[in-house]
DNA sequence: CTTCATGCAAAACATTTGCAGCTGG
DNA sequence: CCAGCTGCAAATGTTTTGCATGAAG
């Protein structure tokens, strides 16, 4: 994970640059996004914010995340079976490894992805602006659980 | 697109093998999925089914698609901003090119994706069972529209 | 002060479910 | 026949929205 303090400062600057207000609720949400590793869901964020700032409403969490996504400071990961997850550390496209059993999401370092983007652009004539790459499988821990003996 | 008749027969066999009934509604839905190129949404499918079989309900469309997804005869593509899209022709993971302007989805032929899967598996220790790769951008037609002069 | 953000409750969606009645095999 | 399917309507779960109140700058 990148340095959480630096990420937080980055996000705050972006808000200030665009003349958005820094409210205590927003600050609490930014802190969580800047320092969370696990691609949290809105609910996870909501629960954590309430510890810092108990009166925060779900709607505010949604609004803040939408704002940050708009400003390219948060990456939104949607899934068909349930709620979105958010990445406040690397707000740009990158691959994910998703464990189908424990739902853990980690970021692998992958070379060779850029080559793919070039290839697809060349072959289809599309101008590529973003991508999404997810691998679904079983993490090492869950592989042991699946085959105990 | 693969031969729609062959795809339809394949889907029907799968249903028969698992002792599911072939109802007129299911048949109509299967036909649409087997012969559609454009990764239709449930609503698109629903509208088309109603032309063949006007009394069909949305719930039945959903149930049938869920069944086919379960049987690995349809690939479900979820998106954060709106409804899912479905691919009845290639019911296995493959990359998509999605035009952000006209929403068209095409399937590029891509070499070098398998290498990526091996790489990520080796580096993370995950056992990879599926993946999802989408490229977002502008198709050649929409690039012209965006920059008219 | 003024404008923007918050918090609540209601609305908006896509999707799922419960169930009575229908029908494919 | 009768287990499984359909169609309806109601429920679900997530996200968005309208609006009165409150607070940041």
């Amino acid at each position: 994970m990148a340095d959480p303090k630096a990420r937080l400062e980055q996000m705050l600057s972006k808000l200030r640059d665009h003349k958005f207000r820094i409210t205590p609720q927003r600050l609490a949400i930014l802190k969580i996004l800047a320092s969370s590793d696990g691609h949290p869901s809105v609910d996870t964020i909501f629960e954590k914010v309430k510890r810092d700032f108990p009166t925060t409403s779900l709607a505010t969490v949604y609004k803040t995340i939408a704002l940050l996504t708009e400003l390219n400071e948060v990456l939104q990961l949607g899934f068909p079976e349930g709620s979105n997850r958010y990445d406040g550390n690397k707000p740009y496209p990158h691959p994910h490894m998703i464990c189908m059993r424990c739902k853990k999401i980690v970021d692998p370092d992958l070379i060779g992805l850029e080559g793919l983007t070039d290839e697809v652009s060349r072959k289809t004539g599309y101008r590529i602006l973003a991508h999404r790459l997810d691998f679904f499988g079983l993490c090492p821990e869950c592989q042991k659980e699946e085959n105990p003996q």
Side-chain angles (χ1 to χ4, degrees), chain A:
Chain A
M1 169 166 54
D3 176 29
K5 280 215 178 129
R7 268 306 288 145
L8 178 61
E9 207 39 63
Q10 221 167 54
M11 290 174 162
L12 287 172
S13 300
K14 187 72 82 89
L15 285 183
R16 279 190 282 256
D17 289 354
H18 290 259
K19 306 265 190 280
F20 291 112
R21 290 179 184 164
I22 315 288
T23 63
Q25 293 91 330
R26 282 187 177 163
L27 187 58
I29 295 166
L30 293 211
K31 276 184 185 165
I32 289 161
L33 283 167
S35 68
S36 67
D37 228 353
H39 307 79
S41 65
V42 165
D43 248 39
T44 308
I45 297 167
F46 183 48
E47 291 307 321
K48 286 193 186 181
V49 182
K50 279 200 294 197
R51 294 210 269 273
D52 283 19
F53 206 89
T55 66
T56 309
S57 73
L58 232 202
T60 295
V61 177
Y62 273 109
K63 284 167 189 165
T64 301
I65 290 175
L67 176 62
L68 292 169
T69 303
E70 195 64 32
L71 295 174
N72 286 306
E73 291 295 323
V74 156
L75 183 71
Q76 187 185 55
L77 295 177
F79 295 97
E81 359 54 29
S83 60
N84 295 341
R85 308 270 294 258
Y86 298 89
D87 189 334
N89 283 296
K90 305 203 290 186
Y92 45 84
H94 61 275
H96 294 96
M97 301 278 334
I98 299 158
C99 180
M100 297 166 83
R101 195 167 165 280
C102 70
K103 309 301 178 198
K104 186 167 42 193
I105 303 182
V106 305
D107 297 343
D109 285 315
L110 228 51
I111 54 177
L113 180 52
E114 204 160 323
L116 262 192
T117 306
D118 292 346
E119 184 190 348
V120 81
S121 179
R122 196 164 8 88
K123 283 185 176 170
T124 62
Y126 273 59
R127 190 198 318 155
I128 312 248
L129 302 171
H131 68 262
R132 168 95 183 259
L133 174 55
D134 295 339
F135 292 98
F136 299 90
L138 292 171
C139 68
E141 293 73 44
C142 288
Q143 285 177 48
K144 284 181 213 147
E145 300 280 330
E146 289 280 303
N147 308 295
Q149 64 288 6

